[in-house]
Amino acid sequence: MTHDYLISLIRTAVPAAVGALLAWLAAEAGIVLDADSSTALTAGVVALTMGAYYALVRVAEARWPWLGVLLGTPAAPRYEVPAARRQ
């Protein structure tokens, strides 16, 4: 269980880091917004980038399992129902 939990955390954190990196790269490229719009739009763009990155990698991973490394680890977590709940 602990191993699967760690895998799930890694596979969540890596897309978040990619989204933040892409937002930083956009700022470095000179894409700047006014202060009022910046915070909300940045949060939205990072969230959308994270979701798109995760979805694209998962689709690619279904065909080429080794691409799971783009989510931080090629192993996907396995969620199992405890024996007490299977009844």
Side-chain angles (χ1 to χ4, degrees), residues 18-31:
V18 169
L21 175 66
L22 291 176
W24 177 79
L25 288 173
E28 289 296 311
I31 301 172

Side-chain angles (χ1 to χ4, degrees), residues 4 8 12-14 22-23 29 31-32 46 48 51 54 56 61 64-67 69 71 74 78 80 82 84 86-87:
D4 290 331
S8 71
T12 299
V14 169
L22 291 176
I31 301 172
V32 181
V46 168
L48 288 173
Y54 184 79
L56 288 172
E61 181 184 33
W64 302 289
W66 61 271
L67 285 176
V69 76
L71 293 176
R78 292 170 286 138
E80 298 177 10
R86 287 188 212 160
Q87 300 174 10

Side-chain angles (χ1 to χ4, degrees), residues 4-5 7 20 22 25 27 32-33 35 38 50 53 62 71 81 87:
D4 290 331
Y5 180 71
I7 289 172
L22 291 176
L25 288 173
V32 181
L33 303 170
S38 182
M50 283 175 54
Y53 178 81
L71 293 176
V81 177
Q87 300 174 10

Side-chain angles (χ1 to χ4, degrees), residues 37-49:
S37 303
S38 182
T39 302
L41 190 57
T42 299
V45 168
V46 168
L48 288 173
T49 302

